[in-house]
Amino acid sequence: MTALPFLLLILAVAAGYAINRGAARAIRDGGSRLHSMTSYHGVFAALLILVPVLTFTLLWLALQGPVIDRITMSGLPDGALDGLDSGGVQLILAEIKSVSRGQIFGTPEDWKIAASERYVLLHTRADWFLVAAVCVLSLALLAVARSRVAADFRARQGVEGIVTGLMIFCSTVAIFTTIGIILSLSYETYRFFELVPVTEFLFGLNWEPQIPLRDDQIAAEGAFGWLPVILGTIVITVVALVVAVPVGLFSAIYLNEFAPKRLRSVVKPVLEILAGVPTVVYGFFAILVVAPAIRSFGQSIGLDVSPNTALAAGGVMGIMLIPFISSFADDALSAVPQAMRDGALGLGSTRGEMMTTVLFPAALPGIVGGVLLAVSRAIGETMIVVMAAGLIAKMTINPLDSVTTVTVQIVTMLIGDTSFDNPKTLAAFALGMMLFLVTLVINIFALRIVRKYREAYD
């Protein structure tokens, strides 16, 4: 039933486009001069129907579930929810939904069966009301759009106005989403620093956030110094960049300047396939192939290698970043004018000298910006580190040892039995704020480098 309103909307949009375009064409064929092309009349009708009806449909679907849940729970018999906390109420609601889907375990009470029947009836009525509303709104907007077709109607300006409004709305949503993220992180971080001193968090050398969440739990007192966590993040990021930057840059240089066109057309898409591989696949590759190989090689030469190492996680992460850096470098090299290449070669430079003395310096801002953005990508990676590097925070820069990162600790502290009024859980938000600040500084630094050394070519 949910797909039916969208199908009707698609049909209405197509009908509006065809009707208005046909009407505009009839006016043009009748000898009148149209202000806008016939296609703009069709697009205006399509957008006039699509935007309001789609907005109404999405809002209805978003609010339908919570409203029906509230109505269903408010209609339960007196005393059915007495003595239950919020978790118990949610459990009753989940059981009613299960009964409504036919997933009955045991013998539910009669009032639960009645509530499930009412739940199904409310959903059915809401679905049919949505279908009827979509039909009525689409027909009304189609009539309005059809009435606007005239020789002097500025359909192009109408289309541009609707598209501009959509872009402004999307930009506003992005801005307010960013502001909401910052405010939520700031508030929870402030709550964390009310329980843990700022100096302990910023300068502490131990990270052991295992504290009791309930009175019946036994755990350590907890230590919240973030230096071991950020140090592990830096170690893995450095290993990843040592792998990704040379391979990515050299592959971009070769494919851009030295490789035959036929080879480039094959190698470049194959290289960029790495960007589409899910990170969990890289994690499996790191823990099943790379980590055992490093451990076996270390044992063969007498080195003590941990089962989970920063070298394995960082190396595989570097492979993941290769297409990222290669693509940025290739775009930067391609943006350099051909005249600079021809001038260097005309003065007697070899292709290698032309690359090192002319092309590479000219493309350096874009390359550096791409590398710094790759650093942000590496810092924010989670899955590979969870599977290949470990969970224990250590003050070490040895890549053969087990380390952890900021993102891994955030994940581990927000899963399982959580309570958002203790330092262990709130520490995740403090780490998130620090990670946000670090990546923000890196991105600002990258933009400043690009703007400072950018050169405009005619």
Side-chain angles (χ1 to χ4, degrees), residues 63-329:
L63 298 176
Q64 173 180 312
V67 171
I68 292 179
D69 291 347
R70 183 178 293 273
I71 295 174
T72 301
M73 299 304 289
S74 64
L76 297 180
D78 295 337
L81 303 178
D82 291 346
L84 296 178
D85 56 4
S86 60
V89 173
Q90 292 299 321
L91 186 61
I92 294 295
L93 179 60
E95 186 176 354
I96 292 174
K97 291 181 179 180
S98 298
V99 174
S100 68
R101 294 191 297 266
Q103 301 173 351
I104 302 176
F105 303 96
T107 305
E109 293 87 341
D110 293 338
W111 61 270
K112 291 182 180 178
I113 297 176
S116 66
E117 293 175 352
R118 184 168 60 254
Y119 180 82
V120 173
L121 179 61
L122 290 173
H123 263 286
T124 302
R125 289 179 178 177
D127 291 339
W128 281 113
F129 180 83
L130 178 60
V131 171
V134 168
C135 292
V136 172
L137 286 175
S138 299
L139 291 175
L141 292 172
L142 178 60
V144 171
R146 177 62 183 85
S147 65
R148 302 292 298 274
V149 178
D152 57 347
F153 176 58
R154 299 175 179 269
R156 180 171 64 85
Q157 282 80 357
V159 171
E160 293 175 351
I162 296 175
V163 174
T164 301
L166 287 175
M167 290 189 292
I168 293 174
F169 173 76
C170 293
S171 302
T172 305
V173 170
I175 292 172
F176 278 100
T177 301
T178 305
I179 294 175
I181 292 173
I182 295 173
L183 291 178
S184 62
L185 281 177
S186 301
Y187 175 71
E188 300 297 340
T189 303
Y190 173 75
R191 293 180 59 198
F192 171 74
F193 286 136
E194 287 182 334
L195 302 174
V196 177
V198 178
T199 55
E200 178 184 344
F201 178 74
L202 294 179
F203 306 108
L205 302 180
N206 294 317
W207 178 263
E208 296 177 0
Q210 303 302 322
I211 64 174
L213 300 180
R214 300 188 306 267
D215 294 336
D216 58 344
Q217 285 183 323
I218 299 175
E221 292 297 328
F224 296 95
W226 87 306
L227 289 180
V229 182
I230 191 63
L231 184 60
T233 303
I234 294 173
V235 170
I236 292 180
T237 302
V238 169
V239 173
L241 294 179
V242 168
V243 174
V245 172
V247 177
L249 289 181
F250 288 143
S251 61
I253 291 172
Y254 175 74
L255 293 175
N256 189 275
E257 288 298 321
F258 300 98
K261 291 184 178 180
R262 181 175 298 179
L263 180 63
R264 173 184 168 86
S265 64
V266 175
V267 174
K268 187 172 176 59
V270 172
L271 182 64
E272 293 182 349
I273 288 177
L274 294 174
V277 177
T279 55
V280 66
V281 176
Y282 283 111
F284 276 118
F285 177 69
I287 194 172
L288 296 178
V289 178
V290 178
I294 293 175
R295 188 165 60 253
S296 299
F297 177 76
Q299 292 175 353
S300 65
I301 60 176
L303 290 178
D304 186 16
V305 181
S306 299
N308 297 320
T309 64
L311 184 60
V316 175
M317 191 185 300
I319 296 175
M320 181 188 67
L321 295 177
I322 287 174
F324 192 80
I325 295 178
S326 177
S327 178
F328 269 89

Side-chain angles (χ1 to χ4, degrees), residues 352-364:
E353 292 172 339
M354 178 268 294
M355 171 59 66
T356 56
T357 60
V358 177
L359 194 59
F360 192 82
L364 187 60

